[in-house]
Amino acid sequence: MASMMQPQIILLKEGTDTSQGKPQLISNINACMAVADVVRTTLGPRGMDKLIHDDKGNTTISNDGATIMKLLDVVHPAAKILVDIAKSQDSEVGDGTTTVVLLAGEFLKEAKPFIEDGVHPQNLIRSYRIASFMVDFLNSYPCSILHMNIYDLGAIEKIKELAVSIEGKSSDEKRSLLAKCAATTLSSKLIGGEKEFFASMVVDAVFAIGNDDRLNMIGIKKVPGGTMRDSFLVNGVAFKKTFSYAGFEQQPKKFLNPKILLLNIELELKSEKENAEIRLSDPLQYQSIVDAEWNIIYDKLDKCVQSGAKIVLSRLAIGDLATQYFADRDIFCAGRVAEDDLHRVAAATGGTVQTSVNNVIDEILGSCEVFEEKQVGGERFNIFSGCPSGQTATIVLRGGADQFIEEAERSLHDAIMIVRRAMKNSTVVAGGGAIDMELSRYLWQHARNIAGKSQLFINSYAKALEVIPRQLCDNAGFDATDVLNKLRQKHALAAGWSFAIYFKNKNKKSFSSEGALYGVDINTGGISDSFANFVWEPAVVKINAINAATEAACLILSVDETVKNPKSESAQGEAAGGMGRGRGGGMRGGRGRGMRRR
Amino acid sequence: MALAFDEYGRPFIILREQESKSRLRGLDAQKSNIAAGVAVSRILRTSLGPKGMDKMLQSPDGDITITNDGATILEQMDVDNQIGKLMVELSRSQDYEIGDGTTGVVVMAGALLEQAERLLERGIHPIRVAEGFEISSRIAVDHLEQISHKFDFSATNIEPLVQTCMTTLSSKIVNRCKRSLAEIAVKGVMAVADLERKDVNLDLIKVEGKVGGKLEDTELIYGIIVDKDMSHPQMPKQIEDAKIAILTCPFEPPKPKTKHKVDIDTVEKFQTLREQERKYFDDMVQRCKDVGATLVICQWGFDDEANHLLMHRNLPAVRWVGGVELELIAIATGGRIVPRFQELTPEKLGKAGLVREKAFGTTKDRMLYIEHCANSRAVTVFIRGGNKMMIEETKRSIHDALCVARNLIRNNSIVYGGGAAEISCSIAVEAAADKYPGVEQYAIRAFADALDSVPMALAENSGLQPIETLSAVKAQQIKEKNPCCGIDCNDAGTNDMREQNVFETLIGKQQQILLATQVVKMILKIDDVISPSEY
């Protein structure tokens, strides 16, 4: 018997799932395409939202690519890469997360027929890299047609008007230009109906924090109730009234130019040391111990009062005794202030958080122009406004439902990131698929000069870029082929000479005649000049999206074997083999919860 | 979710637990969402208006609630469907912001969804529908502004406020004595209102209820009622010109917070300890007497020894008063909350003209009335009623009326009720529709139809022919150019809501329209629902 059968050599642990070669590559591509399909419909101003309901009963309604990808809980190893690039796009630029997934999916889709025909993946990878590099080059080259420096545009206006106060003017103009960028991002979101309102709010918030890198200096507070137009921006800090003890209502609720003391200690009558024990042999000493304890807390409170502060905030509890003590002395206090709120107050008012009340000097006290407790919907808010250092802003969001506000918060986060990016990296490109069409055209043209099969690959890369305008049309219910052909024609017209015109006659008319700036017009179903219609995106979003998508596509193309280790992924392996579903399912569920928390 | 197959024909898993997740996409998702939203709004539809019916809800632990208040019904229904939950939140938002009109907003949203479904079936893109709705909501809100009336009221002339509150109360179970309840609500709000800043802190109005008596016995007390009695039955039941010490420390010997032990090894020591303890009580009572207090209100309890001593020294006392009540008492009487006997001074005492204990009926329940306070900016509405459910419902109705009065103080514009405002908006929106090119026009017309559904529901609930009544009123509005024509629910013989004195607040109406549109947009925008099928 033994001689008839070759003994099987077991190299890997039993149950290890290996698949390799071309089929594996194709199946990876299929998986990625399936994932990209999920987010496909969220792109653009006519994009739809997803309602994702997880097994813990949390519901999220979102339009944000990164959020959806995260919640989908993808386990396929290749498809996970797409999740990662969406996340990285989110943390890097904050917006364009749907775009990046869509592009990566499309690059792979274009590569699939070549792989099936037996092209070596490395060939494809090389060509894709070249294409991406070219796109990149085009993007980062300062005189490219597709770019316009925000400041440049300002300069044109300036030359026209021969303005005197250049500094003040440019800040105002910058503001309106940045608002345009923010509005473009917001137009695809749920709050798109009020995009101008929110765009200017976001720009104001970003200007308020200035060049500070700490994004957490912009606080977003959510209060259910009201309509979104009731949202407002506080040029300072606002937070919800904290838990209060009896006596709180007797404190004054409004101050002008108060001094603010920020603490990180408990102001409560309590034992000073844990596990300490007092032994008394003489009952007469009893009172002195009681008094000593009271004196400690009174001493602390007294020091707070003596510092001249009118508002005392603490991260830890401020007890009822302290509340009443402060109420007697017309001082406002709030205990258990959330840590990030306290830091924001510290940054805004110029105070420093203290861990002791000893030696409180004037320098560590913060101050602001107005402090007030105000009713916002069903909540009372503590609002500090007119802060000296002005490095903070708080947006108070209102809306009809919790999920609505959650989504609004995510959208505003995107917009904030975009504005910050645009401020630092001041180039913008035309949105609405215009830039993608133009890049695609450029690559088509370039591919003609290449001998060899690389030409095909670059062509397919160019074709993949067209997915953005195509999807925009599809989502809006337009005939994508029709619109795309119109766009191609426009962009072909513009070839070569448009950029010369722009730089020669620096006036606005010349851009609108440029084909390079034409994108999908979402309102009419035709095409229009995106730049003139103020559909703007910061260039960095596109650069990052294209780079990340290309990287991901190349990475997936370069994999030809997957080995799934049965120990950590046994449930997965079994389910893939179509057995052991019951028990495995439970285990997977258990781990799933752990995963998400990460 | 569709399975993908690899080249070997094996299915492979992309998402965790893919097989057990259900997914709805595209039009199916929208339709099922709309169906869920509409189902919720249908439940509330019959509660709308003065002839609306109540719902009885039983909670899992057997408590029964009978109510007509939209927000409460939805809250108690424990809706599980995700879209249903959105509707619940919608009504809650209206409750937080305005306090009234919680049923109307859900009915409005349901009507919009019904209309949207029809448009979707015709193949109109959901976002175009939502955008059309948004445009029309803006038109409607502007129109409301135009047809609204400002009225004047002052501290002495509260009649207009009372009229508006009566409109709110007329749809509740308590409409029997809506006039007196409306007056109570308005007077209460006026007492705490800051007319300069146009701010009303409703926290200062306490609503207290007690089973027994009739609804008509409900009263407004310029002071505080505490559901407590004197700590000792023999203490005086009535104190005039009371000076109140408000304490947050117990009548007990003080204890250090640090763990402590007293070593007692001789009889003398024990006796000193005992003596000292007694002295503490003595001191505490003496201290209160010294500063001139004639009543002690304490957050904590005190033991029998102290109780006896207080009785002995003729110092009435109340124990176990909650923190919130204590605070209200302090505000009302102008006193300060004192955390320690040593800090007690005459200035910190609160003053009240009359403190009395009142017994109710044959029960032994007593309550403490603190009236004629130094600062009357804290009032209590004291509700009586036949049973607990009735009292709870009255509390909710009073809350609605208080909110209406508050909103009017903030913004004194009113529109006419009885569906008049909706019909007028519907006419305006319909007229504006023709000006919009593009698909939105259809959505705007649909919005106008949806607006009609509120008066329609009113007519239906009042037993009138909905379509006939509505068309008659609409025709009358256009003919007479009178935006005050509404549905005559009470069969008063006139359609003019001005004569019937049916008013609603402008901000309440505007908020309803904006909120409903917002949530409908959110629902329409979802085209993909991913949920675990069971868990």
Side-chain angles (χ1 to χ4, degrees):
Chain A
M1 279 302 260
S3 61
M4 288 178 73
M5 250 173 95
Q6 283 285 331
Q8 203 179 354
I9 302 167
I10 297 174
L11 194 64
L12 299 170
K13 213 180 259 177
E14 201 184 328
T16 307
D17 183 32
T18 64
S19 27
Q20 52 177 317
K22 202 163 82 179
Q24 173 61 23
L25 196 51
I26 302 277
S27 96
N28 280 345
I29 292 176
N30 284 343
C32 291
M33 275 158 55
V35 170
D37 268 346
V38 176
V39 291
R40 191 171 280 272
T41 56
T42 63
L43 188 80
R46 295 266 192 267
M48 306 296 275
D49 290 3
K50 310 272 160 198
L51 188 154
I52 298 172
H53 182 179
D54 68 20
D55 42 10
K56 279 178 296 173
N58 295 335
T59 314
T60 313
I61 297 177
S62 183
N63 179 284
D64 181 46
T67 311
I68 297 170
M69 295 299 275
K70 211 168 12 182
L71 289 169
L72 274 179
D73 201 10
V74 173
V75 288
H76 191 279
K80 258 191 181 167
I81 294 171
L82 292 193
V83 181
D84 288 344
I85 57 170
K87 271 187 204 156
S88 84
Q89 176 84 3
D90 194 33
S91 49
E92 188 64 25
V93 282
D95 189 36
T97 47
T98 309
T99 313
V100 69
V101 176
L102 210 54
L103 277 176
E106 202 62 20
F107 288 150
L108 289 171
K109 188 176 161 195
E110 290 297 331
K112 195 173 147 191
F114 291 116
I115 302 283
E116 275 168 347
D117 289 347
V119 173
H120 196 280
Q122 289 299 348
N123 275 337
L124 269 164
I125 292 172
R126 193 175 339 114
S127 302
Y128 274 15
R129 288 242 161 90
I130 290 170
S132 137
F133 177 72
M134 271 183 343
V135 167
D136 215 29
F137 179 69
L138 196 65
N139 257 322
S140 50
Y141 194 56
C143 300
S144 109
I145 352 159
L146 308 158
H147 275 79
M148 231 160 279
N149 202 304
I150 287 197
Y151 302 110
D152 263 8
L153 197 61
I156 299 161
E157 304 291 325
K158 261 183 271 166
I159 292 163
K160 253 193 214 160
E161 296 173 12
L162 293 165
V164 190
S165 62
I166 293 168
E167 202 52 48
K169 187 82 188 165
S170 74
S171 144
D172 257 9
E173 272 178 3
K174 232 159 67 183
R175 220 170 252 263
S176 77
L177 297 174
L178 289 172
K180 300 276 170 6
C181 290
T184 307
T185 328
L186 290 175
S187 66
S188 65
K189 310 288 183 188
L190 196 56
I191 53 177
E194 303 285 354
K195 61 182 177 193
E196 286 87 9
F197 176 72
F198 283 107
S200 66
M201 185 188 279
V202 164
V203 173
D204 286 348
V206 173
F207 266 78
I209 64 163
N211 288 325
D212 203 323
D213 265 341
R214 291 168 299 172
L215 202 59
N216 59 2
M217 285 297 127
I218 300 181
I220 299 184
K221 297 285 161 191
K222 296 168 272 187
V223 188
T227 58
M228 46 190 176
R229 271 218 169 246
D230 294 334
S231 309
F232 58 92
L233 177 78
V234 178
N235 214 339
V237 192
F239 55 86
K240 208 162 84 182
K241 191 195 107 172
T242 51
F243 178 81
S244 62
Y245 290 93
F248 178 77
E249 292 297 333
Q250 285 179 306
Q251 294 174 348
K253 297 297 165 57
K254 187 170 181 180
F255 289 100
L256 293 174
N257 294 318
K259 285 191 175 154
I260 303 161
L261 177 62
L262 306 161
L263 294 173
N264 194 6
I265 50 169
E266 278 182 39
L267 290 176
E268 243 180 326
L269 183 63
K270 58 163 184 129
S271 59
E272 274 306 301
K273 278 262 178 274
E274 296 288 317
N275 302 325
E277 195 181 287
I278 304 168
R279 273 172 194 255
L280 296 175
S281 53
D282 183 4
L284 287 171
Q285 289 170 344
Y286 193 77
Q287 180 66 40
S288 62
I289 296 295
V290 174
D291 284 345
E293 274 191 351
W294 282 85
N295 284 338
I296 289 172
I297 177 79
Y298 274 132
D299 187 42
K300 280 186 193 166
L301 295 177
D302 210 38
K303 279 183 177 144
C304 294
V305 175
Q306 271 171 15
S307 69
K310 279 286 162 206
I311 296 173
V312 178
L313 303 179
S314 175
R315 200 178 70 77
L316 298 169
I318 292 185
D320 49 353
L321 172 71
T323 308
Q324 289 143 19
Y325 189 89
F326 288 138
D328 270 358
R329 286 155 186 79
D330 284 343
I331 291 173
F332 178 88
C333 70
R336 302 218 171 103
V337 178
E339 193 168 0
D340 50 344
D341 285 331
L342 198 67
H343 282 310
R344 231 175 276 141
V345 175
T349 61
T352 326
V353 180
Q354 297 295 303
T355 47
S356 149
V357 288
N358 292 322
N359 196 17
V360 174
I361 44 170
D362 245 13
E363 281 84 79
I364 57 152
L365 292 178
S367 73
C368 69
E369 269 169 32
V370 186
F371 165 82
E372 204 175 353
E373 189 188 285
K374 261 194 198 155
Q375 185 89 24
V376 179
E379 315 267 8
R380 291 196 85 85
F381 263 72
N382 296 331
I383 296 174
F384 298 82
S385 49
C387 301
S389 60
Q391 300 240 315
T392 52
T394 308
I395 295 174
V396 179
L397 277 179
R398 311 296 314 276
D402 285 349
Q403 271 129 18
F404 188 93
I405 307 177
E406 297 281 328
E407 173 66 2
E409 186 193 0
R410 281 192 288 271
S411 312
L412 282 192
H413 173 255
D414 281 9
I416 289 170
M417 291 295 281
I418 284 293
V419 171
R420 288 173 55 83
R421 276 287 158 182
M423 258 172 92
K424 276 194 196 144
N425 216 325
S426 48
T427 47
V428 290
V429 293
I435 174 78
D436 308 275
M437 282 310 285
E438 186 59 22
L439 292 176
S440 165
R441 181 200 58 80
Y442 178 80
L443 287 176
W444 279 106
Q445 219 171 32
H446 176 82
R448 274 184 232 150
N449 307 330
I450 300 172
K453 53 188 165 189
S454 173
Q455 185 188 12
L456 285 174
F457 307 150
I458 289 187
N459 273 347
S460 72
Y461 188 93
K463 186 155 173 256
L465 283 173
E466 284 179 359
V467 70
I468 302 289
R470 184 160 4 106
Q471 197 59 46
L472 281 176
C473 292
D474 280 347
N475 286 351
F478 303 144
D479 184 348
T481 323
D482 195 28
V483 175
L484 233 60
N485 280 331
K486 279 190 203 157
L487 278 178
R488 280 198 201 110
Q489 184 256 352
K490 266 287 182 210
H491 283 260
L493 271 186
W497 49 270
S498 56
F499 132 77
I501 286 185
Y502 163 52
F503 276 95
K504 263 179 199 155
N505 0 316
K506 287 193 169 187
N507 65 56
K508 219 164 184 183
K509 248 187 184 168
S510 67
F511 329 131
S512 51
S513 63
E514 266 184 66
L517 299 172
Y518 269 76
V520 180
D521 184 343
I522 220 73
N523 292 318
T524 61
I527 58 171
S528 68
D529 186 336
S530 299
F531 211 90
N533 287 333
F534 302 116
V535 183
W536 295 357
E537 290 176 89
V540 65
V541 173
K542 272 280 131 82
I543 296 175
N544 205 57
I546 291 175
N547 277 339
T550 313
E551 282 298 319
C554 293
L555 194 62
I556 290 164
L557 286 177
S558 65
V559 172
D560 76 334
E561 176 156 353
T562 317
V563 179
K564 279 182 202 153
N565 196 331
K567 205 165 184 184
S568 55
E569 291 278 349
S570 67
Q572 174 63 45
E574 274 166 16
M579 47 187 186
R581 198 165 285 175
R583 202 174 61 89
M587 281 165 63
R588 256 177 290 144
R591 205 171 49 239
R593 276 192 285 283
M595 299 274 285
R596 252 189 304 278
R597 212 171 290 134
R598 234 193 290 144
Chain B
M1 206 167 279
L3 283 177
F5 293 92
D6 67 7
E7 293 292 294
Y8 304 113
R10 290 190 312 191
F12 62 86
I13 301 216
I14 301 170
L15 306 183
R16 192 178 296 280
E17 286 176 68
Q18 184 166 278
E19 356 34 310
S20 69
K21 275 182 180 154
S22 61
R23 181 171 179 198
L24 271 176
R25 320 184 46 166
L27 209 53
D28 287 340
Q30 269 138 3
K31 282 203 177 144
S32 87
N33 290 343
I34 288 176
V38 170
V40 171
S41 95
R42 279 222 182 101
I43 295 172
L44 286 194
R45 202 180 154 94
T46 55
S47 291
L48 194 73
K51 295 276 185 331
M53 305 301 274
D54 287 3
K55 312 275 173 217
M56 187 168 186
L57 302 142
Q58 191 173 16
S59 75
D61 38 338
D63 291 343
I64 292 171
T65 313
I66 297 178
T67 183
N68 176 290
D69 181 50
T72 316
I73 299 174
L74 289 178
E75 203 95 343
Q76 304 263 334
M77 274 200 327
D78 199 10
V79 177
D80 195 38
N81 181 286
Q82 293 310 317
I83 301 297
K85 275 189 192 154
L86 279 181
M87 302 293 266
V88 177
E89 273 168 28
L90 166 69
S91 132
R92 201 186 299 152
S93 299
Q94 175 83 9
D95 197 28
Y96 283 157
E97 195 67 18
I98 304 295
D100 182 39
T102 49
T103 314
V105 69
V106 176
V107 171
M108 177 81 207
L112 282 174
L113 286 174
E114 269 175 17
Q115 293 292 339
E117 187 175 15
R118 246 169 261 168
L119 295 177
L120 292 187
E121 270 167 14
R122 287 201 211 163
I124 297 179
H125 196 281
I127 295 191
R128 309 293 292 251
V129 176
E131 273 168 13
F133 283 176
E134 232 162 43
I135 294 170
S136 11
S137 75
R138 250 171 260 151
I139 299 172
V141 166
D142 290 346
H143 183 73
L144 281 175
E145 192 96 50
Q146 280 170 20
I147 63 166
S148 70
H149 282 248
K150 281 205 183 302
F151 60 53
D152 295 317
F153 62 89
S154 60
T156 47
N157 175 23
I158 55 168
E159 187 56 27
L161 292 177
V162 175
Q163 292 286 359
T164 320
C165 287
M166 273 166 66
T167 308
T168 306
L169 290 173
S170 64
S171 67
K172 311 284 180 192
I173 201 165
V174 295
N175 59 8
R176 179 156 54 97
C177 36
K178 61 180 176 188
R179 172 87 211 176
S180 62
L181 288 182
E183 271 173 20
I184 287 174
V186 172
K187 280 182 189 155
V189 169
M190 291 306 271
V192 301
D194 185 343
L195 290 178
E196 300 279 293
R197 278 177 62 212
K198 295 195 166 182
D199 188 35
V200 182
N201 188 355
L202 286 185
D203 290 345
L204 294 175
I205 301 180
K206 199 175 161 219
V207 181
E208 189 71 40
K210 190 103 189 155
V211 178
K214 320 192 277 288
L215 194 58
E216 282 79 1
D217 295 339
T218 302
E219 57 185 335
L220 177 74
I221 290 147
Y222 290 95
I224 308 288
I225 295 185
V226 191
D227 193 359
K228 293 280 172 321
D229 48 8
M230 296 292 178
S231 60
H232 197 286
Q234 280 173 303
M235 284 178 181
K237 300 284 177 259
Q238 189 160 346
I239 306 157
E240 273 165 34
D241 289 328
K243 296 223 163 98
I244 307 170
I246 305 157
L247 299 173
T248 51
C249 46
F251 264 95
E252 273 169 15
K255 281 196 197 89
K257 295 273 175 184
T258 313
K259 220 161 118 192
H260 61 282
K261 252 183 198 165
V262 183
D263 291 332
I264 298 173
D265 38 21
T266 60
V267 179
E268 287 77 47
K269 274 190 183 174
F270 183 73
Q271 264 162 358
T272 12
L273 190 70
R274 179 79 199 98
E275 186 59 29
Q276 239 188 344
E277 226 167 65
R278 209 190 51 74
K279 199 166 156 292
Y280 271 125
F281 285 121
D282 230 32
D283 277 356
M284 285 188 287
V285 178
Q286 193 53 45
R287 192 116 205 151
C288 297
K289 284 297 253 190
D290 282 352
V291 295
T294 52
L295 175 68
V296 176
I297 290 176
C298 186
Q299 193 174 13
W300 309 106
F302 28 88
D303 54 33
D304 291 343
E305 194 168 345
N307 203 1
H308 167 79
L309 209 61
L310 284 166
M311 172 64 209
H312 193 71
R313 295 287 192 87
N314 199 14
L315 187 61
V318 185
R319 55 184 160 184
W320 295 121
V321 178
V324 182
E325 286 160 336
L326 205 70
E327 196 162 12
L328 277 174
I329 294 173
I331 292 171
T333 61
R336 288 289 185 181
I337 299 170
V338 179
R340 214 181 169 206
F341 286 97
Q342 277 85 338
E343 289 202 4
L344 210 54
T345 57
E347 301 85 62
K348 289 188 177 176
L349 297 181
K351 289 171 194 65
L354 180 68
V355 178
R356 63 198 163 102
E357 201 186 284
K358 199 176 167 190
F360 294 101
T362 53
T363 56
K364 286 197 184 134
D365 287 351
R366 289 160 203 282
M367 289 181 108
L368 196 70
Y369 283 58
I370 302 172
E371 289 173 287
H372 308 302
C373 299
N375 167 13
S376 61
R377 288 204 49 209
V379 297
T380 308
V381 178
F382 184 56
I383 298 169
R384 304 305 309 275
N387 55 47
K388 198 168 158 247
M389 280 169 253
M390 183 75 187
I391 285 180
E392 290 299 311
E393 176 66 0
T394 313
K395 271 190 189 172
R396 280 189 287 272
S397 310
I398 289 273
H399 170 254
D400 281 10
L402 290 175
C403 289
V404 167
R406 177 189 63 180
N407 292 341
L408 283 173
I409 286 174
R410 280 191 190 154
N411 180 352
N412 62 347
S413 300
I414 47 152
V415 290
Y416 293 96
E422 280 90 354
I423 296 172
S424 176
C425 282
S426 159
I427 295 169
V429 170
E430 182 90 52
D434 298 338
K435 293 184 199 127
Y436 285 85
V439 193
E440 281 84 359
Q441 201 184 89
Y442 281 85
I444 296 174
R445 288 222 181 85
F447 190 90
D449 287 344
L451 279 170
D452 281 345
S453 73
V454 175
M456 197 97 96
L458 271 178
E460 230 168 87
N461 291 346
S462 314
L464 302 168
Q465 289 287 337
I467 297 176
E468 271 171 37
T469 321
L470 178 65
S471 44
V473 172
K474 215 172 190 180
Q476 196 186 351
Q477 273 214 7
I478 295 176
K479 205 170 84 196
E480 296 174 10
K481 292 208 170 54
N482 179 4
C484 324
C485 293
I487 307 285
D488 178 16
C489 301
N490 290 325
D491 209 15
T494 170
N495 280 336
D496 196 326
M497 291 297 141
R498 208 174 335 192
E499 285 169 35
Q500 283 206 21
N501 287 328
V502 178
F503 307 122
E504 283 182 72
T505 54
L506 171 70
I507 40 177
K509 264 280 129 48
Q510 286 182 330
Q511 192 81 16
Q512 271 187 357
I513 292 178
L514 289 173
L515 275 179
T517 315
Q518 211 177 79
V519 168
V520 167
K521 181 177 183 189
M522 182 159 197
I523 294 175
L524 286 179
K525 216 165 171 262
I526 297 167
D527 79 330
D528 203 336
V529 180
I530 300 172
S531 50
S533 54
E534 75 239 58
Y535 50 89

